[in-house]
Amino acid sequence: WRFLLAIADLAGLRWSQRARAAAVVITRNSAEDDPALALRRAVVYGLAAVRDPTWLSSKGLTLDRLGAYQIGSGKLRIPSEGLCMLLRAVSEKHSNLQKTKLAQLLAPFEVRPGPINIGTKRLRGYKEEDLQDMLDRYGAGDGGDGYSYDDHHF
């Protein structure tokens, strides 16, 4: 954008303003249409929200209902269906999210469901550290727009 905006600046104030307005609209629309970006943002919110019992209860959720549990290090293990429930609660874009679609959306980021043990049950699900690693490697799609793991707004 820098080069295109520089050219618009050279063309005069009217073109400079129009180019900046167009850049904002195009950037916003492409972010809204990007399912991978929307998923990463929902994961950011979800990982923060799952630690907030007040928020969970406001959505009718609990760690037990999600099937999530913490291991000794405090990291979460969450079954695929529980993660779908959590992401459906934090993002309207994912209101119909199912386990298969979740796996398809996470696969390009090298995050796959694996075996997790919950009591005597062996389920397929996700490790919090794998989701956080995805965010560390690929970003939360924040681009300065306020999405952050530590500073979430519900």
Coordinates of all heavy atoms in Angstrom, one line a residue, residues 31-130:
A31 N -10.2 -9.0 5.1 CA -10.1 -9.6 6.4 C -11.4 -10.3 6.8 O -11.4 -11.4 7.3 CB -9.7 -8.6 7.5
E32 N -12.5 -9.6 6.5 CA -13.8 -10.2 6.8 C -14.1 -11.5 6.0 O -14.8 -12.4 6.5 CB -14.9 -9.2 6.6 CG -14.9 -8.1 7.7 CD -15.8 -6.9 7.4 OE1 -16.6 -7.0 6.4 OE2 -15.8 -6.0 8.2
D33 N -13.6 -11.6 4.8 CA -13.9 -12.7 3.9 C -12.9 -13.8 4.1 O -13.0 -14.9 3.4 CB -13.9 -12.2 2.5 CG -15.0 -11.3 2.2 OD1 -16.0 -11.3 2.9 OD2 -14.9 -10.5 1.2
D34 N -11.9 -13.7 4.9 CA -10.8 -14.7 5.0 C -11.1 -15.6 6.1 O -11.0 -15.3 7.3 CB -9.5 -13.9 5.3 CG -8.3 -14.9 5.4 OD1 -8.5 -16.1 5.4 OD2 -7.2 -14.4 5.5
P35 N -11.6 -16.9 5.8 CA -11.9 -17.8 6.9 C -10.8 -18.2 7.8 O -11.0 -18.4 9.0 CB -12.4 -19.0 6.1 CG -12.2 -18.8 4.7 CD -11.7 -17.4 4.5
A36 N -9.6 -18.2 7.3 CA -8.4 -18.5 8.1 C -8.2 -17.4 9.2 O -7.9 -17.7 10.3 CB -7.2 -18.7 7.3
L37 N -8.3 -16.2 8.7 CA -8.1 -15.1 9.6 C -9.3 -15.0 10.7 O -9.0 -14.9 11.9 CB -8.1 -13.7 8.8 CG -8.1 -12.5 9.6 CD1 -6.8 -12.4 10.4 CD2 -8.1 -11.3 8.7
A38 N -10.5 -15.3 10.2 CA -11.6 -15.3 11.2 C -11.4 -16.4 12.2 O -11.7 -16.2 13.4 CB -12.9 -15.5 10.4
L39 N -10.9 -17.6 11.8 CA -10.7 -18.7 12.7 C -9.6 -18.3 13.7 O -9.8 -18.5 14.9 CB -10.3 -19.9 11.9 CG -9.9 -21.1 12.9 CD1 -11.2 -21.7 13.5 CD2 -9.2 -22.2 12.1
R40 N -8.5 -17.7 13.3 CA -7.4 -17.4 14.2 C -7.9 -16.3 15.2 O -7.6 -16.4 16.4 CB -6.2 -16.8 13.4 CG -5.5 -18.0 12.7 CD -4.1 -17.6 12.2 NE -4.0 -16.3 11.6 CZ -4.1 -16.0 10.3 NH1 -4.4 -16.9 9.4 NH2 -3.8 -14.8 9.9
R41 N -8.7 -15.4 14.8 CA -9.3 -14.4 15.7 C -10.2 -15.1 16.7 O -10.1 -14.8 17.9 CB -10.0 -13.3 15.0 CG -9.1 -12.4 14.2 CD -9.9 -11.3 13.5 NE -8.9 -10.4 12.9 CZ -9.3 -9.4 12.1 NH1 -10.6 -9.3 11.8 NH2 -8.4 -8.6 11.6
A42 N -11.0 -16.0 16.3 CA -11.9 -16.8 17.2 C -11.1 -17.6 18.2 O -11.4 -17.7 19.4 CB -12.8 -17.6 16.4
V43 N -10.0 -18.2 17.7 CA -9.1 -18.9 18.7 C -8.5 -18.0 19.7 O -8.5 -18.4 20.9 CB -8.0 -19.7 17.9 CG1 -7.0 -20.3 18.8 CG2 -8.7 -20.8 17.1
V44 N -8.1 -16.8 19.3 CA -7.5 -15.9 20.3 C -8.6 -15.6 21.4 O -8.3 -15.7 22.6 CB -7.1 -14.6 19.6 CG1 -6.8 -13.5 20.6 CG2 -5.9 -14.8 18.7
Y45 N -9.8 -15.3 20.9 CA -10.9 -15.0 21.9 C -11.2 -16.2 22.7 O -11.4 -16.2 23.9 CB -12.1 -14.5 21.2 CG -12.2 -13.1 20.8 CD1 -12.8 -12.7 19.6 CD2 -11.6 -12.1 21.5 CE1 -12.8 -11.4 19.2 CE2 -11.6 -10.8 21.1 CZ -12.2 -10.4 20.0 OH -12.3 -9.1 19.6
G46 N -11.3 -17.4 22.1 CA -11.6 -18.6 22.7 C -10.6 -19.0 23.8 O -11.0 -19.4 24.9
L47 N -9.3 -18.9 23.5 CA -8.3 -19.2 24.5 C -8.3 -18.3 25.7 O -8.0 -18.7 26.8 CB -6.9 -19.2 23.9 CG -6.6 -20.4 22.9 CD1 -5.2 -20.2 22.3 CD2 -6.8 -21.7 23.5
A48 N -8.7 -17.1 25.5 CA -8.8 -16.1 26.6 C -10.1 -16.3 27.3 O -10.1 -16.4 28.6 CB -8.7 -14.7 26.1
A49 N -11.2 -16.5 26.6 CA -12.5 -16.7 27.2 C -12.6 -17.9 28.1 O -13.3 -17.9 29.1 CB -13.6 -16.7 26.1
V50 N -12.0 -19.0 27.7 CA -12.1 -20.3 28.4 C -11.5 -20.1 29.8 O -11.9 -20.9 30.7 CB -11.4 -21.4 27.6 CG1 -9.9 -21.4 27.7 CG2 -12.0 -22.8 28.0
R51 N -10.7 -19.1 30.0 CA -10.1 -18.9 31.4 C -11.0 -18.0 32.2 O -10.7 -17.6 33.3 CB -8.7 -18.2 31.2 CG -7.8 -19.0 30.4 CD -7.1 -20.1 31.2 NE -6.1 -20.7 30.4 CZ -5.6 -21.9 30.6 NH1 -6.1 -22.6 31.6 NH2 -4.7 -22.4 29.9
D52 N -12.1 -17.5 31.6 CA -13.0 -16.5 32.3 C -14.3 -17.2 32.7 O -15.2 -17.3 31.8 CB -13.2 -15.3 31.4 CG -14.0 -14.2 32.0 OD1 -14.6 -14.5 33.1 OD2 -14.1 -13.2 31.4
P53 N -14.4 -17.7 33.9 CA -15.7 -18.4 34.3 C -16.9 -17.6 34.1 O -18.0 -18.1 33.8 CB -15.4 -18.8 35.8 CG -14.0 -18.6 36.1 CD -13.5 -17.7 35.0
T54 N -16.8 -16.3 34.4 CA -18.0 -15.4 34.2 C -18.4 -15.3 32.8 O -19.7 -15.4 32.5 CB -17.6 -14.0 34.7 OG1 -17.2 -14.0 36.1 CG2 -18.8 -13.0 34.7
W55 N -17.5 -15.2 31.9 CA -17.9 -15.2 30.5 C -18.4 -16.5 30.0 O -19.5 -16.6 29.4 CB -16.7 -14.8 29.6 CG -17.0 -14.7 28.1 CD1 -17.5 -13.6 27.5 CD2 -17.1 -15.8 27.2 NE1 -17.8 -13.9 26.2 CE2 -17.5 -15.2 26.0 CE3 -16.7 -17.1 27.2 CZ2 -17.6 -15.9 24.8 CZ3 -16.9 -17.9 26.0 CH2 -17.3 -17.3 24.8
L56 N -17.8 -17.6 30.5 CA -18.3 -18.9 30.1 C -19.7 -19.1 30.6 O -20.6 -19.6 29.8 CB -17.4 -20.0 30.7 CG -16.1 -20.3 30.1 CD1 -15.3 -21.3 30.9 CD2 -16.3 -20.8 28.6
S57 N -20.0 -18.8 31.8 CA -21.4 -19.0 32.4 C -22.4 -18.1 31.6 O -23.5 -18.4 31.5 CB -21.4 -18.8 33.9 OG -21.2 -17.4 34.2
S58 N -21.9 -16.9 31.2 CA -22.8 -16.0 30.4 C -23.3 -16.6 29.1 O -24.3 -16.3 28.5 CB -22.2 -14.6 30.2 OG -21.2 -14.7 29.1
K59 N -22.5 -17.6 28.6 CA -22.8 -18.3 27.4 C -23.4 -19.7 27.6 O -23.6 -20.5 26.7 CB -21.5 -18.5 26.5 CG -20.9 -17.1 26.1 CD -21.8 -16.4 25.2 CE -21.1 -15.1 24.6 NZ -22.0 -14.4 23.7
G60 N -23.6 -20.0 28.9 CA -24.1 -21.3 29.3 C -23.1 -22.4 29.2 O -23.5 -23.6 29.0
L61 N -21.8 -22.1 29.3 CA -20.8 -23.0 29.2 C -20.0 -23.2 30.5 O -20.0 -22.3 31.3 CB -19.8 -22.6 28.1 CG -20.4 -22.5 26.7 CD1 -19.3 -21.9 25.7 CD2 -20.8 -23.8 26.2
T62 N -19.4 -24.3 30.6 CA -18.4 -24.6 31.7 C -17.3 -25.4 31.1 O -17.5 -26.0 30.0 CB -19.0 -25.4 32.9 OG1 -19.4 -26.7 32.4 CG2 -20.2 -24.6 33.5
L63 N -16.2 -25.5 31.8 CA -15.1 -26.4 31.3 C -15.6 -27.8 31.2 O -15.3 -28.5 30.2 CB -13.9 -26.3 32.2 CG -13.0 -25.1 32.1 CD1 -11.8 -25.1 33.1 CD2 -12.5 -24.8 30.7
D64 N -16.4 -28.2 32.1 CA -17.0 -29.6 32.1 C -17.9 -29.8 30.8 O -17.8 -30.8 30.1 CB -17.8 -29.9 33.3 CG -16.9 -30.2 34.5 OD1 -15.7 -30.5 34.3 OD2 -17.5 -30.2 35.6
R65 N -18.7 -28.8 30.6 CA -19.6 -28.9 29.4 C -18.8 -29.0 28.1 O -19.2 -29.7 27.2 CB -20.6 -27.8 29.4 CG -21.6 -27.9 28.2 CD -22.9 -27.3 28.5 NE -23.8 -27.5 27.4 CZ -24.3 -26.6 26.6 NH1 -24.0 -25.3 26.8 NH2 -25.0 -26.9 25.6
L66 N -17.7 -28.2 28.1 CA -16.8 -28.2 26.9 C -16.0 -29.5 26.8 O -15.5 -29.9 25.8 CB -15.9 -27.1 26.9 CG -16.5 -25.7 26.8 CD1 -15.5 -24.6 27.0 CD2 -17.2 -25.5 25.4
G67 N -15.9 -30.2 28.0 CA -15.1 -31.4 28.0 C -13.7 -31.1 28.2 O -12.8 -32.0 28.0
A68 N -13.4 -29.8 28.5 CA -12.0 -29.4 28.7 C -11.4 -29.7 30.0 O -12.2 -29.8 31.0 CB -11.9 -27.9 28.4
Y69 N -10.1 -29.9 30.1 CA -9.5 -30.1 31.4 C -8.1 -29.5 31.3 O -7.5 -29.4 30.2 CB -9.5 -31.5 31.8 CG -8.6 -32.4 31.0 CD1 -7.3 -32.7 31.4 CD2 -9.1 -32.9 29.7 CE1 -6.5 -33.5 30.6 CE2 -8.3 -33.7 28.9 CZ -7.0 -34.0 29.4 OH -6.2 -34.8 28.6
Q70 N -7.5 -29.2 32.5 CA -6.1 -28.7 32.6 C -5.2 -29.8 33.0 O -5.5 -30.6 33.9 CB -6.0 -27.6 33.5 CG -6.8 -26.3 33.1 CD -6.6 -25.2 34.1 OE1 -6.1 -25.3 35.2 NE2 -7.0 -24.0 33.7
I71 N -4.1 -29.9 32.3 CA -3.0 -30.8 32.8 C -2.2 -30.1 33.8 O -2.4 -29.0 34.1 CB -2.2 -31.3 31.6 CG1 -1.5 -30.2 30.9 CG2 -3.1 -32.1 30.6 CD1 -0.5 -30.6 29.8
G72 N -1.2 -30.8 34.4 CA -0.4 -30.3 35.4 C 0.3 -29.0 35.2 O 0.4 -28.1 36.1
S73 N 0.6 -28.7 33.9 CA 1.2 -27.4 33.6 C 0.2 -26.3 33.5 O 0.6 -25.1 33.3 CB 2.0 -27.5 32.3 OG 1.1 -27.7 31.2
G74 N -1.1 -26.6 33.6 CA -2.1 -25.6 33.5 C -2.6 -25.4 32.1 O -3.6 -24.7 31.8
K75 N -2.0 -26.1 31.1 CA -2.5 -26.1 29.7 C -3.7 -26.9 29.6 O -3.9 -27.9 30.2 CB -1.4 -26.6 28.8 CG -0.1 -25.8 28.8 CD -0.4 -24.4 28.2 CE 0.9 -23.6 28.2 NZ 0.7 -22.3 27.7
L76 N -4.6 -26.5 28.7 CA -5.9 -27.1 28.4 C -5.8 -28.2 27.4 O -5.0 -28.1 26.4 CB -6.9 -26.1 27.9 CG -7.4 -25.1 29.0 CD1 -8.3 -24.1 28.3 CD2 -8.2 -25.8 30.1
R77 N -6.6 -29.2 27.5 CA -6.9 -30.2 26.5 C -8.4 -30.1 26.3 O -9.2 -30.0 27.3 CB -6.6 -31.6 27.0 CG -5.1 -31.8 27.4 CD -4.3 -31.7 26.2 NE -2.9 -31.9 26.4 CZ -1.9 -31.0 26.5 NH1 -2.3 -29.7 26.5 NH2 -0.7 -31.3 26.7
I78 N -8.8 -30.0 25.1 CA -10.2 -29.8 24.8 C -10.6 -30.7 23.6 O -10.0 -30.6 22.5 CB -10.5 -28.3 24.5 CG1 -12.0 -28.1 24.3 CG2 -9.7 -27.7 23.4 CD1 -12.4 -26.6 24.4
P79 N -11.7 -31.5 23.8 CA -12.1 -32.3 22.7 C -12.6 -31.5 21.5 O -13.0 -30.3 21.6 CB -13.3 -33.1 23.3 CG -13.3 -32.9 24.7 CD -12.5 -31.6 25.0
S80 N -12.6 -32.1 20.3 CA -12.9 -31.3 19.1 C -14.3 -30.7 19.2 O -14.5 -29.5 18.9 CB -12.9 -32.3 17.9 OG -11.6 -32.8 17.7
E81 N -15.3 -31.4 19.7 CA -16.6 -30.9 19.9 C -16.7 -29.7 20.8 O -17.4 -28.7 20.6 CB -17.7 -31.9 20.3 CG -19.1 -31.4 20.3 CD -19.6 -30.7 19.1 OE1 -19.3 -31.2 18.0 OE2 -20.3 -29.7 19.2
G82 N -15.9 -29.8 21.9 CA -15.8 -28.7 22.9 C -15.2 -27.5 22.3 O -15.7 -26.3 22.6
L83 N -14.2 -27.6 21.5 CA -13.6 -26.5 20.8 C -14.6 -25.8 19.8 O -14.7 -24.6 19.7 CB -12.3 -26.8 20.1 CG -11.5 -25.7 19.5 CD1 -11.2 -24.6 20.5 CD2 -10.2 -26.2 18.9
C84 N -15.3 -26.7 19.1 CA -16.3 -26.1 18.2 C -17.4 -25.3 19.0 O -17.8 -24.2 18.6 CB -17.0 -27.3 17.5 SG -16.0 -28.0 16.2
M85 N -17.8 -25.9 20.2 CA -18.8 -25.1 21.0 C -18.2 -23.8 21.4 O -18.9 -22.8 21.4 CB -19.1 -26.0 22.2 CG -20.0 -27.2 22.0 SD -20.2 -28.2 23.4 CE -20.9 -27.1 24.6
L86 N -17.0 -23.8 21.8 CA -16.3 -22.5 22.3 C -16.2 -21.5 21.2 O -16.6 -20.4 21.3 CB -14.9 -22.9 22.9 CG -14.1 -21.7 23.4 CD1 -14.8 -21.0 24.6 CD2 -12.7 -22.1 23.8
L87 N -15.8 -22.0 20.0 CA -15.6 -21.1 18.9 C -17.0 -20.6 18.4 O -17.1 -19.4 17.9 CB -14.8 -21.7 17.7 CG -13.4 -22.1 18.1 CD1 -12.7 -22.8 16.9 CD2 -12.6 -20.8 18.6
R88 N -18.0 -21.4 18.4 CA -19.4 -21.0 18.1 C -19.8 -19.9 19.0 O -20.5 -18.9 18.7 CB -20.3 -22.1 18.1 CG -20.2 -23.1 16.9 CD -21.3 -24.1 16.8 NE -21.4 -25.0 17.9 CZ -21.0 -26.3 17.9 NH1 -20.5 -26.8 16.8 NH2 -21.2 -27.0 19.0
A89 N -19.4 -20.0 20.3 CA -19.9 -19.0 21.3 C -19.2 -17.7 21.2 O -19.7 -16.6 21.5 CB -19.6 -19.5 22.7
V90 N -17.9 -17.7 20.7 CA -17.2 -16.4 20.6 C -17.3 -15.7 19.2 O -17.0 -14.5 19.1 CB -15.7 -16.5 20.9 CG1 -15.5 -17.0 22.3 CG2 -14.9 -17.4 19.9
S91 N -17.8 -16.4 18.2 CA -17.8 -15.8 16.9 C -19.1 -16.3 16.1 O -19.3 -17.5 15.9 CB -16.6 -16.3 16.1 OG -16.7 -15.9 14.7
E92 N -19.8 -15.3 15.7 CA -21.0 -15.6 14.8 C -20.6 -16.2 13.5 O -21.4 -17.0 12.9 CB -21.8 -14.3 14.6 CG -22.5 -13.8 15.8 CD -23.3 -12.6 15.6 OE1 -23.6 -12.3 14.4 OE2 -23.7 -11.9 16.5
K93 N -19.4 -15.9 13.0 CA -19.0 -16.5 11.8 C -18.9 -18.0 11.9 O -18.9 -18.7 10.9 CB -17.6 -16.0 11.4 CG -17.6 -14.7 10.7 CD -16.2 -14.3 10.2 CE -16.2 -13.0 9.5 NZ -16.4 -13.1 8.1
H94 N -18.8 -18.5 13.1 CA -18.6 -20.0 13.3 C -19.8 -20.6 13.9 O -19.7 -21.7 14.6 CB -17.3 -20.2 14.1 CG -16.1 -19.8 13.4 ND1 -15.5 -18.6 13.7 CD2 -15.4 -20.4 12.4 CE1 -14.5 -18.4 12.9 NE2 -14.4 -19.5 12.1
S95 N -21.0 -20.0 13.7 CA -22.2 -20.5 14.4 C -22.6 -21.9 14.0 O -23.3 -22.6 14.7 CB -23.3 -19.6 14.2 OG -23.6 -19.4 12.8
N96 N -22.1 -22.4 12.8 CA -22.4 -23.7 12.3 C -21.2 -24.6 12.3 O -21.2 -25.7 11.6 CB -23.0 -23.7 10.9 CG -24.4 -22.9 10.9 OD1 -25.2 -23.1 11.8 ND2 -24.6 -22.1 10.0
L97 N -20.1 -24.2 13.0 CA -18.9 -25.0 12.9 C -19.0 -26.4 13.5 O -19.5 -26.6 14.6 CB -17.8 -24.2 13.7 CG -16.4 -24.8 13.6 CD1 -15.8 -24.7 12.2 CD2 -15.5 -24.0 14.6
Q98 N -18.6 -27.4 12.7 CA -18.6 -28.8 13.1 C -17.1 -29.3 13.1 O -16.2 -28.7 12.6 CB -19.4 -29.6 12.1 CG -20.9 -29.2 12.1 CD -21.6 -29.3 13.4 OE1 -21.4 -30.3 14.1 NE2 -22.4 -28.3 13.7
K99 N -16.9 -30.5 13.8 CA -15.6 -31.0 14.0 C -14.8 -31.2 12.7 O -13.6 -30.8 12.6 CB -15.6 -32.4 14.7 CG -16.2 -32.3 16.1 CD -16.2 -33.6 16.8 CE -17.1 -34.6 16.2 NZ -17.2 -35.8 17.0
T100 N -15.4 -31.7 11.6 CA -14.7 -31.9 10.4 C -14.3 -30.6 9.8 O -13.1 -30.5 9.3 CB -15.6 -32.6 9.4 OG1 -16.0 -33.9 10.0 CG2 -14.9 -33.0 8.1
K101 N -15.1 -29.6 9.8 CA -14.8 -28.3 9.2 C -13.7 -27.6 10.0 O -12.8 -27.0 9.5 CB -16.0 -27.4 9.2 CG -15.8 -26.0 8.5 CD -15.4 -26.2 7.1 CE -15.3 -24.8 6.4 NZ -14.8 -24.9 5.0
L102 N -13.7 -27.8 11.3 CA -12.7 -27.2 12.2 C -11.3 -27.8 11.8 O -10.3 -27.1 11.7 CB -13.0 -27.5 13.7 CG -11.9 -27.1 14.7 CD1 -11.7 -25.6 14.7 CD2 -12.3 -27.5 16.1
A103 N -11.3 -29.1 11.7 CA -10.1 -29.8 11.3 C -9.5 -29.3 10.0 O -8.3 -29.1 9.8 CB -10.3 -31.3 11.3
Q104 N -10.5 -29.1 9.0 CA -10.1 -28.6 7.7 C -9.5 -27.2 7.8 O -8.5 -26.9 7.1 CB -11.2 -28.6 6.7 CG -11.7 -30.0 6.3 CD -13.0 -29.9 5.6 OE1 -13.7 -28.9 5.5 NE2 -13.4 -31.1 5.0
L105 N -10.1 -26.3 8.6 CA -9.6 -25.0 8.8 C -8.3 -24.9 9.5 O -7.4 -24.0 9.2 CB -10.6 -24.1 9.5 CG -11.9 -23.8 8.8 CD1 -13.0 -23.2 9.7 CD2 -11.6 -22.8 7.6
L106 N -8.0 -25.8 10.4 CA -6.8 -25.8 11.2 C -5.6 -26.5 10.5 O -4.5 -26.2 10.7 CB -7.0 -26.4 12.6 CG -7.8 -25.6 13.5 CD1 -8.1 -26.4 14.8 CD2 -7.2 -24.2 13.9
A107 N -5.9 -27.4 9.5 CA -4.9 -28.2 8.9 C -3.8 -27.4 8.2 O -2.6 -27.7 8.3 CB -5.5 -29.2 7.9
P108 N -4.1 -26.3 7.5 CA -3.0 -25.5 6.9 C -2.1 -24.9 7.9 O -0.9 -24.6 7.5 CB -3.8 -24.4 6.1 CG -5.2 -24.9 6.0 CD -5.4 -25.8 7.1
F109 N -2.5 -24.9 9.1 CA -1.6 -24.3 10.2 C -0.9 -25.4 10.9 O -0.3 -25.2 12.0 CB -2.4 -23.4 11.1 CG -3.1 -22.3 10.4 CD1 -4.5 -22.4 10.2 CD2 -2.4 -21.3 9.9 CE1 -5.1 -21.4 9.5 CE2 -3.1 -20.2 9.2 CZ -4.4 -20.3 9.0
E110 N -1.0 -26.6 10.4 CA -0.3 -27.8 11.0 C -0.8 -28.1 12.4 O -0.1 -28.5 13.3 CB 1.2 -27.6 11.0 CG 1.8 -27.4 9.6 CD 3.2 -27.0 9.6 OE1 4.0 -27.4 10.5 OE2 3.6 -26.4 8.6
V111 N -2.1 -27.8 12.6 CA -2.8 -28.1 13.9 C -3.8 -29.2 13.6 O -4.7 -29.0 12.8 CB -3.4 -26.9 14.5 CG1 -4.2 -27.3 15.8 CG2 -2.4 -25.8 14.8
R112 N -3.6 -30.4 14.2 CA -4.5 -31.5 13.9 C -5.0 -32.0 15.3 O -4.3 -32.0 16.2 CB -3.8 -32.5 13.2 CG -3.5 -32.1 11.7 CD -2.6 -33.1 11.0 NE -2.4 -32.7 9.6 CZ -1.8 -31.6 9.2 NH1 -1.3 -30.7 10.0 NH2 -1.6 -31.4 7.9
P113 N -6.3 -32.6 15.2 CA -6.7 -33.2 16.4 C -6.0 -34.5 16.7 O -5.6 -35.2 15.8 CB -8.2 -33.5 16.1 CG -8.3 -33.6 14.7 CD -7.2 -32.6 14.1
G114 N -5.7 -34.7 18.0 CA -5.0 -35.9 18.3 C -5.7 -36.6 19.5 O -6.7 -36.0 20.1
P115 N -5.2 -37.7 19.9 CA -5.9 -38.4 21.1 C -5.6 -37.6 22.4 O -4.5 -37.1 22.6 CB -5.2 -39.7 21.1 CG -3.9 -39.6 20.4 CD -4.1 -38.4 19.4
I116 N -6.7 -37.4 23.1 CA -6.6 -36.8 24.5 C -7.4 -37.7 25.4 O -8.4 -38.3 25.0 CB -7.1 -35.4 24.5 CG1 -8.5 -35.2 24.1 CG2 -6.2 -34.5 23.7 CD1 -9.1 -33.9 24.3
N117 N -6.9 -37.9 26.6 CA -7.6 -38.7 27.6 C -8.3 -37.8 28.6 O -7.8 -36.8 29.1 CB -6.6 -39.5 28.4 CG -5.9 -40.5 27.5 OD1 -6.5 -41.1 26.6 ND2 -4.6 -40.7 27.7
I118 N -9.6 -38.1 28.7 CA -10.4 -37.3 29.7 C -11.0 -38.4 30.6 O -11.9 -39.1 30.2 CB -11.5 -36.5 29.0 CG1 -10.9 -35.5 28.1 CG2 -12.4 -35.9 30.0 CD1 -11.8 -34.6 27.4
G119 N -10.4 -38.5 31.8 CA -10.8 -39.6 32.7 C -10.5 -40.9 32.0 O -9.3 -41.1 31.6
T120 N -11.5 -41.7 31.9 CA -11.2 -43.0 31.3 C -11.5 -43.0 29.8 O -11.3 -44.0 29.1 CB -12.1 -44.1 31.9 OG1 -13.5 -43.7 31.8 CG2 -11.7 -44.3 33.4
K121 N -12.0 -41.8 29.3 CA -12.4 -41.7 27.9 C -11.2 -41.3 27.1 O -10.4 -40.5 27.5 CB -13.5 -40.7 27.7 CG -14.8 -41.0 28.3 CD -15.8 -39.9 28.0 CE -17.0 -40.0 28.8 NZ -17.9 -38.9 28.6
R122 N -11.1 -41.8 25.9 CA -10.0 -41.4 24.9 C -10.7 -40.8 23.7 O -11.4 -41.4 23.0 CB -9.2 -42.6 24.5 CG -8.0 -42.2 23.7 CD -7.0 -43.4 23.5 NE -6.0 -43.1 22.6 CZ -4.8 -42.8 23.0 NH1 -4.5 -42.7 24.2 NH2 -3.8 -42.6 22.1
L123 N -10.6 -39.4 23.6 CA -11.2 -38.7 22.6 C -10.2 -38.1 21.6 O -9.0 -38.1 21.9 CB -12.1 -37.6 23.2 CG -13.2 -38.0 24.2 CD1 -13.7 -36.8 24.9 CD2 -14.2 -38.8 23.5
R124 N -10.7 -37.5 20.6 CA -9.8 -36.7 19.7 C -10.1 -35.2 20.0 O -11.2 -34.8 20.2 CB -10.1 -37.0 18.2 CG -9.8 -38.4 17.9 CD -9.8 -38.7 16.4 NE -8.8 -37.9 15.6 CZ -7.5 -38.1 15.6 NH1 -6.9 -39.0 16.3 NH2 -6.7 -37.4 14.8
G125 N -9.0 -34.5 20.1 CA -9.1 -33.1 20.5 C -7.9 -32.3 20.3 O -6.9 -32.8 19.6
Y126 N -7.8 -31.2 20.9 CA -6.7 -30.2 20.7 C -6.0 -29.9 22.0 O -6.6 -29.9 23.0 CB -7.2 -28.9 20.0 CG -7.8 -29.2 18.6 CD1 -9.1 -29.6 18.5 CD2 -7.0 -29.2 17.5 CE1 -9.7 -29.9 17.2 CE2 -7.5 -29.4 16.3 CZ -8.8 -29.8 16.1 OH -9.3 -30.1 14.9
K127 N -4.7 -29.5 21.8 CA -3.9 -29.1 22.9 C -3.8 -27.6 22.8 O -3.5 -27.0 21.7 CB -2.5 -29.7 22.9 CG -2.5 -31.2 23.0 CD -1.1 -31.7 22.8 CE -1.1 -33.3 22.9 NZ 0.3 -33.8 22.7
E128 N -3.9 -26.9 24.0 CA -3.8 -25.4 24.0 C -2.5 -25.0 23.4 O -2.5 -24.0 22.6 CB -4.0 -24.9 25.4 CG -3.9 -23.4 25.5 CD -4.0 -22.9 26.9 OE1 -4.0 -23.7 27.9 OE2 -4.1 -21.7 27.1
E129 N -1.4 -25.6 23.7 CA -0.1 -25.2 23.3 C 0.0 -25.3 21.7 O 0.7 -24.5 21.1 CB 1.0 -25.9 24.0 CG 1.0 -27.4 23.9 CD 0.3 -28.1 25.0 OE1 -0.7 -27.5 25.6 OE2 0.7 -29.2 25.3
D130 N -0.7 -26.2 21.1 CA -0.7 -26.3 19.6 C -1.4 -25.1 19.0 O -1.0 -24.6 18.0 CB -1.3 -27.6 19.2 CG -0.5 -28.8 19.5 OD1 0.7 -28.7 19.8 OD2 -1.0 -29.9 19.4

